[in-house]
């Protein structure tokens, strides 16, 4: 009964997390890189919850085969935290990819994670992280504090990346994502301080359940066809950026795909969807991480960017038009991807709807001018 009470948290966390994985496999977008990392982390934590419960059942049982089995189980259990820490760093990279900074982060973490895996793999022989005494009772090894610092350091590094990119996230998103990193740290600290208390993996499972909430929210925020923000989430991001216009100018571009109806009518809606995806990828490739790109509906898109002035905004416009022309020259499609763009810089307080109506009007004027030629 005492062992059952000890592992009850693991059992509950295992059942709940397994249920989340089953639901996620049905509802989430499987091609998404963040989804793949999430599922990988879930499977790792499920394995850890099972192994931890099993070693609690076997710990202290007097039998030669039990000692050998415990050494194998503890070796596997100690190999999981470095892998988890590595996955957490990959999650931070997927959420806030910033080029060379992310590559530097991966290089920094790779060596200590490898060292931790090596210590875990050979601890059964050298007793670095753990050893099993003659009574088949588990004890921590002499290098356990080093292992602990390495794992916690990698988790903290992922959290620091989130903090550094906090300005690009909505307040609710940062709270959710921050707890993903802090829960394993809290659980690990309590488990180290109070030997026999199993909290690290159950709290990590809780953080993954929170991560599932974030993935569900992303499905609402991100347009599944184009990868752009939806109209709903755009309003939140736009309002946040609009509040900064007194410190630095805000540029708005309203984009409308030319002759999109003709593409649908002549080549079918599947080709029309392909055209929208290609257009969105081309536009996003020309934008900075801090720029907001959203699909308002149909073939209408909007970009909101912090700019130094009108020249910066025109530079964004020219880059998009040049990228579209490059695509048209190499795509071998029976149609061209072109768009009309209305743009304007705002350097003081403005109403969101009025600003969108203004750039929409400018876009329509450009579209009419093209037809008149």
């Amino acid at each position: 009964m005492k062992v059952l009470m000890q592992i009850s948290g693991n059992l509950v966390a295992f059942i709940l997390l397994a249920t989340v994985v089953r639901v996620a496999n049905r509802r989430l977008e499987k091609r998404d890189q963040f989804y793949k990392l999430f599922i990988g982390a879930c499977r790792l934590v499920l394995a850890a919850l099972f192994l931890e419960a099993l070693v609690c059942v076997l710990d202290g049982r007097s039998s030669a085969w039990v000692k050998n089995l415990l050494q194998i189980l503890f070796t596997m259990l100690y190999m999981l935290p470095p892998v988890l820490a590595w996955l957490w760093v990959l999650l931070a990279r997927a959420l806030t990819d910033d080029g060379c900074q992310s590559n530097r982060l991966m290089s920094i973490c790779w060596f200590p994670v490898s060292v931790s895996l090596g210590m875990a793999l050979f601890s059964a022989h050298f007793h670095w992280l753990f050893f099993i005494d003659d009574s088949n009772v588990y004890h921590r090894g002499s290098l356990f504090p080093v292992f602990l610092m390495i794992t916690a350091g990698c988790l903290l590094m992922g959290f620091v990346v989130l903090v550094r990119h906090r300005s690009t996230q909505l307040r609710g998103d940062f709270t959710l994502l921050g707890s993903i990193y802090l829960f394993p740290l809290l659980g690990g600290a309590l488990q180290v301080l109070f030997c026999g208390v199993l909290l690290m993996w159950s709290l990590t499972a809780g953080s993954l359940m929170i991560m599932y909430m974030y993935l569900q929210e992303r499905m609402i925020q991100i347009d599944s066809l184009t990868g752009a923000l939806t109209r709903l989430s755009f309003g939140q991001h736009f309002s946040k950026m609009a509040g900064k216009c007194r410190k630095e100018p805000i540029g708005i571009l309203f984009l409308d795909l030319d002759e999109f109806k003709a593409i649908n009518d002549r080549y079918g809606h599947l080709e029309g969807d392909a055209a929208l995806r290609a257009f969105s990828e081309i536009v996003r490739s020309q934008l900075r991480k801090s720029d907001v790109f959203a699909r308002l509906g149909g073939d209408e898109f909007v970009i909101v960017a912090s700019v130094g002035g009108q020249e910066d905004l025109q530079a964004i416009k020219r880059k998009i038009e040049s990228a579209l022309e490059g695509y048209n020259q190499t795509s071998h499609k029976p149609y061209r991807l072109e768009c009309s763009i209305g743009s304007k810089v705002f350097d003081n307080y403005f109403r969101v709807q009025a600003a969108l109506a203004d750039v929409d009007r400018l876009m329509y004027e450009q579209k009419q001018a093209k037809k008149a030629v």
Side-chain angles (χ1 to χ4, degrees), residues 190-364:
L190 291 173
Q191 191 157 328
V192 169
L193 292 173
F194 304 100
C195 190
V197 175
L198 308 183
L199 282 176
M200 187 183 81
W201 291 112
S202 55
L203 282 181
T204 303
S207 73
L208 288 171
M209 295 175 204
I210 294 173
M211 193 182 297
Y212 176 69
M213 293 169 56
Y214 172 76
L215 288 170
Q216 288 279 75
E217 185 68 19
R218 274 196 12 158
M219 291 178 64
I220 300 172
Q221 292 184 355
I222 305 298
D223 178 59
S224 60
L225 178 63
T226 63
L229 294 176
T230 61
R231 192 183 191 104
L232 176 64
S233 59
F234 166 71
Q236 296 174 304
H237 284 275
F238 192 12
S239 297
K240 183 177 180 179
M241 292 190 71
K244 301 177 181 179
C245 67
R246 295 178 182 177
K247 299 179 181 179
E248 56 184 347
I250 297 295
I252 304 176
L253 300 97
F254 200 106
L255 296 75
D256 187 273
L257 198 58
D258 294 337
E259 303 298 331
F260 178 66
K261 185 176 184 302
I263 296 174
N264 271 329
D265 292 344
R266 293 177 188 174
Y267 308 107
H269 289 283
L270 288 178
E271 189 60 41
D273 288 348
L276 284 174
R277 280 195 297 269
F279 177 74
S280 178
E281 289 173 5
I282 292 166
V283 173
R284 282 190 288 127
S285 69
Q286 305 305 310
L287 301 179
R288 300 164 299 181
K289 188 75 175 179
S290 58
D291 297 336
V292 174
F293 177 57
R295 182 186 183 191
L296 297 186
D299 59 343
E300 294 182 340
F301 297 83
V302 67
I303 299 168
V304 184
S306 297
V307 294
Q310 186 64 36
E311 182 56 35
D312 288 349
L313 192 62
Q314 291 304 311
I316 296 174
K317 182 178 177 181
R318 288 193 296 269
K319 284 174 62 179
I320 292 171
E321 291 172 340
S322 176
L324 287 172
E325 183 58 34
Y327 171 83
N328 289 327
Q329 292 176 3
T330 59
S331 69
H332 306 296
K333 294 283 187 180
Y335 54 83
R336 291 174 59 82
L337 283 185
E338 296 177 335
C339 70
S340 299
I341 304 176
S343 61
K344 187 174 179 179
V345 174
F346 298 83
D347 56 6
N348 50 41
Y349 176 77
F350 60 86
R351 294 183 181 275
V352 172
Q353 293 303 321
L356 287 177
D358 205 4
V359 289
D360 185 20
R361 175 183 56 79
L362 294 172
M363 179 277 298
Y364 183 73

Side-chain angles (χ1 to χ4, degrees), residues 166-177:
R166 185 174 182 175
S167 61
T168 64
Q169 303 164 22
L170 296 177
R171 184 178 302 174
D173 286 353
F174 178 78
T175 302
L176 281 176
L177 295 172

Side-chain angles (χ1 to χ4, degrees), residues 112-152:
V113 167
S114 300
V115 170
S116 295
L117 286 171
M119 287 193 296
L121 189 60
F122 294 104
S123 282
H125 180 71
F126 294 106
H127 301 171
W128 287 335
L129 302 183
F130 70 89
F131 63 93
I132 311 299
D133 64 20
D134 294 336
S135 301
N136 290 346
V137 176
Y138 156 81
H139 299 275
R140 292 168 181 166
S142 59
L143 294 182
F144 177 80
V146 177
F147 175 84
L148 193 66
M149 286 188 291
I150 290 175
T151 304

